[in-house]
Amino acid sequence: MDTPSISSRTSGSRPPDEALDALDRAWESFAAGYHGLDEASMAAELGPAFGPWAESNKADSLLHVVDELIHHGAEVALLRDLYAATPASP
């Protein structure tokens, strides 16, 4: 039995691959701000705009963002795969 494509089983929603594309674009935008920073810049504190994380540095922030990207990207991929493996309702 063939599983219908994701796009044929959605009504008005976008395919999950678009969420992965959005994550890729968000990472590219975020990473652009970190390319070219030297070691001293990465060690600089974030400052008061970051509230309770003001004393954290840019390297800490980058690590956190990478962790979140992996976490949420895995969730999107899991949901995409589970949805694709679910038989369509009659």
Side-chain angles (χ1 to χ4, degrees):
M1 174 171 105
D2 290 339
T3 302
S5 71
I6 291 172
S7 58
S8 70
R9 291 178 31 206
T10 58
S11 57
S13 61
R14 295 188 220 165
D17 287 337
E18 288 187 23
L20 293 174
D21 291 339
L23 280 170
D24 286 342
R25 288 190 307 275
W27 170 253
E28 289 167 4
S29 175
F30 178 81
Y34 277 91
H35 288 296
L37 291 180
D38 59 18
E39 198 170 317
S41 295
M42 290 293 280
E45 289 187 353
L46 296 173
F50 286 81
W53 298 279
E55 294 180 9
S56 296
N57 60 36
K58 291 179 182 177
D60 293 333
S61 175
L62 179 61
L63 181 59
H64 175 72
V65 169
V66 168
D67 183 53
E68 288 295 316
L69 181 66
I70 291 168
H71 171 107
H72 292 290
E75 288 177 334
V76 168
L78 173 67
L79 291 173
R80 176 201 58 200
D81 294 346
L82 288 173
Y83 188 79
T86 304
S89 300

